[in-house]
Amino acid sequence: PSREHAGRIQNIILKKELSGLFNAHILTIHDFAAKLLLRPAKHPTDAMRREIIKGILQNPVFDFDYFGAVRHFGGFQEVVLDAVKEFKSNGLGAQDFEQRAQALIKNKIFRLKFRDFSIILKNYNQQLMRLGLSEPADTLDALLADTEEAVFADLVVFDGFVAF
């Protein structure tokens, strides 16, 4: 569930005053991963994400060969933000993208798009780190990559709350 939905579910369940229910948490999978890693999750808002993407695209330091003509358009910035969010939510980082795209690099148009989008992905991650933020999926990736640091719970129940 979303963080807001998890809060509503927790309020409904805990208001029933069930006996024997101590230290119960209803969390999103990403908040659960942060709790197991003992790291508070600090995620960017959509407004922050937009500003980061806009800052990268409008930064004159970056020479976008393919995206250069549309980099200042708000609609294009939204499309890029959606693509970055989709990559992040599917655990696909800049290095993964670069590895998987190698077969298509021979195509000149793809190579230009690839280069520009790689610049965006890398700089987006750097900006998040500089701000002390991470995407929700990054927390789950960190848990899966480093189970040595994790503190595991005695009991975990996964349930798919669809409509509550």
Side-chain angles (χ1 to χ4, degrees), residues 79-130:
V79 168
V80 170
L81 174 59
D82 289 344
V84 168
K85 285 170 37 177
E86 187 170 340
F87 269 59
K88 293 299 249 175
S89 69
N90 287 298
L92 188 63
Q95 289 180 339
D96 296 320
F97 175 56
E98 289 174 352
Q99 287 175 341
R100 293 174 189 217
Q102 289 305 307
L104 301 171
I105 292 292
K106 296 170 193 155
N107 179 301
K108 182 183 178 186
I109 300 298
F110 180 81
R111 186 172 50 250
L112 293 172
K113 288 181 187 178
F114 164 80
R115 181 191 161 279
D116 287 1
F117 194 66
S118 290
I119 290 170
I120 294 167
L121 281 177
K122 288 176 183 175
N123 284 280
Y124 182 80
N125 289 333
Q126 288 173 356
Q127 287 290 356
L128 286 181
M129 286 176 28
R130 187 181 64 76

Side-chain angles (χ1 to χ4, degrees), residues 7-101:
R8 285 193 304 272
I9 295 166
Q10 189 170 14
N11 283 337
I12 290 169
I13 291 174
L14 296 180
K15 282 183 181 175
K16 295 191 184 238
E17 300 178 18
L18 299 173
S19 60
L21 191 60
F22 298 102
N23 200 17
H25 301 278
I26 297 174
L27 306 166
T28 66
I29 191 73
H30 300 109
D31 290 341
F32 178 62
K35 195 171 233 3
L36 292 179
L37 284 170
L38 302 174
R39 295 182 199 156
K42 295 179 185 175
H43 305 305
T45 64
D46 275 340
M48 291 172 153
R49 289 180 183 104
R50 275 187 199 88
E51 282 303 310
I52 292 170
I53 293 295
K54 181 179 177 181
I56 293 167
L57 287 170
Q58 293 185 354
N59 190 334
V61 170
F62 303 121
D63 182 28
F64 292 109
D65 294 328
Y66 193 80
F67 299 150
V70 294
R71 69 195 283 175
H72 297 288
F73 296 159
F76 177 72
Q77 293 167 6
E78 285 295 320
V79 168
V80 170
L81 174 59
D82 289 344
V84 168
K85 285 170 37 177
E86 187 170 340
F87 269 59
K88 293 299 249 175
S89 69
N90 287 298
L92 188 63
Q95 289 180 339
D96 296 320
F97 175 56
E98 289 174 352
Q99 287 175 341
R100 293 174 189 217

